[in-house]
């Protein structure tokens, strides 16, 4: 009964953890798409206008280097969201904040979500948060071993118990020792007889004595 209660409590806790995990992953998906969209809005004009056009017409290398730096910053932010390590995401926020505020906001939200996932990793059952088939199979094997050991111990205990009329027997024993009692009636005189006992022979005209039939004087 205790194991059922424990399983019920575990399943309730696993449901809460799965809900939190799905919610945090959904937040990370939105942050990733937001970072890609706003990053592209920054990178594409920088590379095409300030990079390629300046090199082609104005020969301005500084603008090209600036466009490359912004591109690398946005790429680092997107990679940090994908990597799911909140310290790296915080560092990427500081890097990308100088070129794109929207991407920086997405990385801040991602850092919070990454921290929540990091806390969920400390919970038992991560990442599935369910009782696995392997655990159930191992539990059945353990119960089978317990039952086998108990059966062996019970058999050994019954086998090592001394014989005697004064010994107490367990009512759960499968083959308890027979209790010897004195015969109380005519039909009880052959109780407990062994195959090798002497068979009484009948002689006509001769009266049997009590000693000959196993009775008391």
């Amino acid at each position: 009964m205790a194991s059922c209660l424990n399983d019920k409590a575990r399943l309730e806790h696993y449901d809460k953890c799965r809900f939190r995990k799905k919610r945090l992953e959904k937040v990370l998906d939105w942050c990733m798409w937001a970072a890609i969209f706003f990053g592209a809005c920054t990178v594409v004009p920088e590379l095409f206008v300030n990079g390629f056009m300046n090199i082609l017409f104005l020969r301005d290398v500084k603008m090209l280097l600036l466009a490359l730096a912004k591109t690398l910053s946005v790429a680092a932010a997107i990679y940090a969201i994908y990597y799911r390590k909140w310290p790296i995401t915080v560092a990427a926020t500081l890097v990308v904040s100088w070129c794109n505020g929207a991407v920086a906001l997405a990385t801040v939200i991602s850092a919070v979500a990454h921290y929540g996932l990091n806390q969920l990793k400390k919970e038992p059952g991560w990442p599935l948060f369910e009782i696995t088939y392997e655990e159930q199979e191992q539990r059945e094997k353990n119960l089978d071993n317990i039952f086998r050991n108990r059966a062996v111990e019970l058999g050994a205990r019954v086998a090592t118990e001394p014989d005697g009329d004064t010994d107490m027997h367990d009512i759960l024993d499968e083959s308890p020792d027979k209790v010897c009692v004195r015969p109380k009636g005519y039909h009880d005189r052959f109780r407990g007889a062994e195959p090798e006992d002497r068979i009484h022979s009948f002689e006509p005209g001769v009266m049997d004595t009590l000693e000959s039939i196993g009775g008391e004087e």
Side-chain angles (χ1 to χ4, degrees), residues 156-167:
R157 178 169 59 82
V158 172
T160 56
E161 283 183 353
D163 296 333
D165 296 341
T166 58
D167 294 334

Side-chain angles (χ1 to χ4, degrees), residues 121-135:
K121 289 181 180 180
K122 301 177 183 180
E123 297 290 338
W126 170 270
L128 298 178
F129 292 114
E130 62 182 11
I131 300 178
T132 60
Y133 174 76
E134 289 78 9
E135 181 180 352

Side-chain angles (χ1 to χ4, degrees), residues 80-201:
I81 297 174
Y82 171 79
Y83 194 60
R84 296 191 175 186
K85 297 292 184 180
W86 68 268
I88 297 178
T89 310
V90 172
T93 303
L94 300 176
V95 172
V96 78
S97 60
W98 69 277
C99 66
N100 194 308
V103 178
L105 179 60
T107 54
V108 169
I109 299 174
S110 299
V112 177
H114 291 167
Y115 182 78
L117 287 176
N118 188 45
Q119 296 299 316
L120 279 179
K121 289 181 180 180
K122 301 177 183 180
E123 297 290 338
W126 170 270
L128 298 178
F129 292 114
E130 62 182 11
I131 300 178
T132 60
Y133 174 76
E134 289 78 9
E135 181 180 352
Q136 296 177 357
E137 186 177 11
Q138 185 62 36
R139 185 182 301 177
E140 293 179 357
K141 290 182 180 179
N142 294 337
L143 289 177
D144 183 67
N145 292 332
I146 291 174
F147 292 149
R148 289 178 182 272
N149 293 334
R150 287 182 178 177
V152 172
E153 292 176 359
L154 180 61
R157 178 169 59 82
V158 172
T160 56
E161 283 183 353
D163 296 333
D165 296 341
T166 58
D167 294 334
M168 300 296 293
H169 298 279
D170 193 348
I171 62 174
L172 299 179
D173 291 342
E174 296 182 358
S175 57
D177 296 336
K178 295 182 179 179
V179 181
C180 297
V181 295
R182 296 184 182 276
K184 297 181 180 181
Y186 178 81
H187 296 286
D188 293 337
R189 58 179 180 169
F190 294 109
R191 177 181 294 177
E194 299 295 336
E196 63 271 15
D197 287 351
R198 180 177 59 86
I199 301 177
H200 177 68
S201 59

